Amino acid sequence: SMSGGGMAAVLDQQHQQMLSQLEGLSGAEFDQKYAELQVQAHEKAVQLFETYSQSGQNEELKSFASETLPTLEQHLQEIQQIEQSLQS
């Protein structure tokens, strides 16, 4: 099972990758790349929570995943709209 610390380490690694991809970009390029990375991150989160809410082992986490999923899906839609608006 993944402890809180393990999850944090994975997220930290992902954040570092995101930051290194953004480094050296400026202005509109930065905005676009940032939005793109946000969409990817949200899609991964939605998938993770969807999977866990259906087949998770830990009941507490399972119900948390179920409760949080609608919010994540809403955030994903919002960030996708932002991404589209930046692709002019």
Side-chain angles (χ1 to χ4, degrees):
S1 72
M2 191 171 254
S3 66
M7 189 63 130
V10 170
L11 288 173
D12 206 51
Q13 201 177 4
Q14 288 178 344
H15 287 140
Q16 283 178 5
Q17 286 175 342
M18 282 172 71
L19 286 171
S20 65
Q21 287 182 49
L22 292 168
E23 202 180 10
L25 299 179
S26 62
E29 259 188 344
F30 178 93
D31 292 343
Q32 217 169 330
K33 187 66 184 176
Y34 180 78
E36 186 190 315
L37 291 169
Q38 285 290 310
V39 168
Q40 289 171 5
H42 278 78
E43 282 171 348
K44 277 184 194 158
V46 166
Q47 284 175 345
L48 179 72
F49 276 69
E50 254 172 6
T51 304
Y52 206 93
S53 66
Q54 288 161 9
S55 57
Q57 304 299 308
N58 180 317
E59 284 305 316
E60 203 178 323
L61 283 177
K62 202 171 171 178
S63 61
F64 170 71
S66 301
E67 288 165 23
T68 311
L69 194 53
T71 310
L72 284 176
E73 286 172 333
Q74 194 184 338
H75 287 171
L76 178 58
Q77 284 180 323
E78 287 166 9
I79 198 90
Q80 281 172 333
Q81 286 169 348
I82 293 169
E83 186 192 20
Q84 283 162 6
S85 73
L86 288 171
Q87 291 175 344
S88 48

